[in-house]
Amino acid sequence: MFIPDVYCFEGDRKIALANLMLNLTFGQVKPGSIDEQLQEEIEGMKHSRKQKFGTELFLVYVREGSVDTFTASNPVEKEEFVVNFNDNGTPKDSIRAGSEPHMMAALSAVMLAATNVQGVKPVIDEVVFFREDNKPVYSYASSATATGYISRNITSEEVNSVANWYNILIADKNFKRVVRLLVSSLQNDNDILRAFLAAWMALEIFVKKTFSVYEDCFFQQINNGCSPKVLEHFLERIRDVIKDKYHFGSSNIITILRQNHGSIRSDMQGNKYRLSDKFSLIISFLSLETGEKRY
């Protein structure tokens, strides 16, 4: 069995049933019973999905829960499922809205954990309700959730770190826009420029939101008499800004900072730090070795 098929079955059957109803509406009658046609549609969808996505990596998001009882409009009761032709009374929209942050966080977690993800594509996007007797209720004419995404293969170590990234991203609402832009950057198959701009904006917003935290750490270390291990790029920027105010002589920038850390921090307020300066400090704390290789 193709890996996503087991997760896509209810969605496949719902879509296949809709296709059959459309065919009947427009007089495109196929040979065989309804059950046989339905099974043929489902098998065709499974084959098409396998041909399109092959053996790539799939991220499956499943959200289960209980909802308030709703009344189906002119329901059609079949042996294996129920058809509802008016889903205006169903909570699909609220389910989608509640699921979106989790999906975005999960996708971003994969992107951050993996080093070779180049794009994501939706496989299926459906919501299916189940009655108390466990019979599925297929409601039509609206949008839904429960989405699978495809990407390139990642290592087992990267897979293990996805959960950690997900927990971080879903817990901090301040990065909601960053997460959305990051995912958007991989959903522009035919627009490389738009994908680049989305990724750049995500990075820029992240840097601006987190810089103050690392700046506090940096000056706290200076205040405690430590010599912070940071990229020279960051120290050079401070030196350029304050060089006309402080006499360096034989003293290096760390010595000057220790002697005047309070006033120098005030001197650096405003727009004195460029985006690259902020980024260099952040990466110094997160992965100095990586930063030294890149700069």
Side-chain angles (χ1 to χ4, degrees):
M1 178 182 289
F2 191 39
I3 292 176
D5 289 347
V6 64
Y7 298 102
C8 297
F9 174 74
E10 295 295 351
D12 285 349
R13 187 160 63 174
K14 179 183 175 183
I15 295 171
L17 186 60
N19 291 339
L20 289 184
M21 289 188 292
L22 285 173
N23 289 339
L24 290 173
T25 300
F26 291 99
Q28 299 178 4
V29 180
K30 294 183 178 181
S33 66
I34 294 297
D35 289 339
E36 290 173 340
Q37 292 180 53
L38 187 60
Q39 185 60 37
E40 183 180 351
E41 283 282 339
I42 294 173
E43 291 301 321
M45 295 167 65
K46 290 163 59 176
H47 177 74
S48 177
R49 182 165 53 239
K50 187 172 183 178
Q51 291 293 109
K52 181 177 181 181
F53 297 115
T55 57
E56 299 289 359
L57 175 71
F58 293 87
L59 172 62
V60 179
Y61 171 65
V62 178
R63 187 184 185 195
E64 298 178 344
S66 300
V67 299
D68 294 336
T69 302
F70 60 87
T71 302
S73 176
N74 299 319
V76 176
E77 189 91 20
K78 302 293 288 184
E79 182 179 353
E80 297 182 356
F81 52 83
V82 178
V83 179
N84 174 25
F85 289 103
N86 187 351
D87 64 356
N88 290 335
T90 68
K92 284 186 176 182
D93 290 342
S94 61
I95 292 174
R96 173 182 284 279
S99 300
E100 184 183 35
H102 296 275
M103 273 302 307
M104 291 295 176
L107 284 170
S108 297
V110 173
M111 294 162 61
L112 293 170
T115 57
N116 61 346
V117 178
Q118 297 182 0
V120 293
K121 296 179 181 178
V123 177
I124 191 170
D125 184 356
E126 291 294 337
V127 149
V128 176
F129 298 99
F130 291 84
R131 292 192 319 199
E132 292 182 352
D133 60 2
N134 207 36
K135 182 178 286 190
V137 179
Y138 300 142
S139 296
Y140 295 95
S142 187
S143 59
T145 189
T147 304
Y149 282 83
I150 181 172
S151 181
R152 290 195 171 192
N153 289 332
I154 59 177
T155 66
S156 58
E157 291 81 7
E158 291 169 340
V159 171
N160 291 334
S161 69
V162 169
N164 293 331
W165 276 113
Y166 173 80
N167 291 331
I168 293 171
L169 294 170
I170 199 63
D172 197 330
K173 304 303 181 184
N174 291 324
F175 296 110
K176 183 177 180 180
R177 191 179 179 208
V178 174
V179 168
R180 186 181 298 276
L181 285 167
L182 192 59
V183 174
S184 178
S185 71
L186 291 186
Q187 294 179 323
N188 290 284
D189 291 342
N190 300 318
D191 195 334
I192 297 177
L193 177 58
R194 188 180 295 275
F196 170 79
L197 290 175
W200 180 263
M201 289 175 63
L203 176 62
E204 186 173 354
I205 294 171
F206 171 80
V207 169
K208 289 182 177 178
K209 282 183 174 291
T210 58
F211 173 71
S212 60
V213 175
Y214 296 100
E215 186 188 26
D216 287 341
C217 293
F218 173 77
F219 279 102
Q220 186 62 48
Q221 290 181 5
I222 292 292
N223 187 37
N224 292 337
C226 300
S227 297
K229 294 182 179 181
V230 298
L231 292 175
E232 185 63 26
H233 176 87
F234 181 73
L235 297 176
E236 288 177 355
R237 179 56 181 170
I238 295 178
R239 185 188 296 110
D240 288 342
V241 173
I242 68 172
K243 62 183 179 182
D244 295 332
K245 184 175 180 179
Y246 300 93
H247 178 67
F248 281 81
S250 59
S251 301
N252 59 29
I253 183 62
I254 295 296
T255 301
I256 297 297
L257 280 167
R258 286 175 182 161
Q259 297 171 347
N260 309 276
H261 59 86
S263 59
I264 289 178
R265 185 169 188 180
S266 297
D267 294 334
M268 297 302 298
Q269 293 298 313
N271 297 320
K272 300 298 177 60
Y273 292 113
R274 300 163 300 193
L275 181 64
S276 60
D277 305 323
K278 295 178 180 181
F279 180 77
S280 65
L281 179 64
I282 293 172
I283 199 173
S284 295
F285 280 91
L286 297 180
S287 180
L288 180 61
E289 182 179 354
T290 300
E292 289 174 338
K293 292 179 179 179
R294 300 289 182 179
Y295 273 80

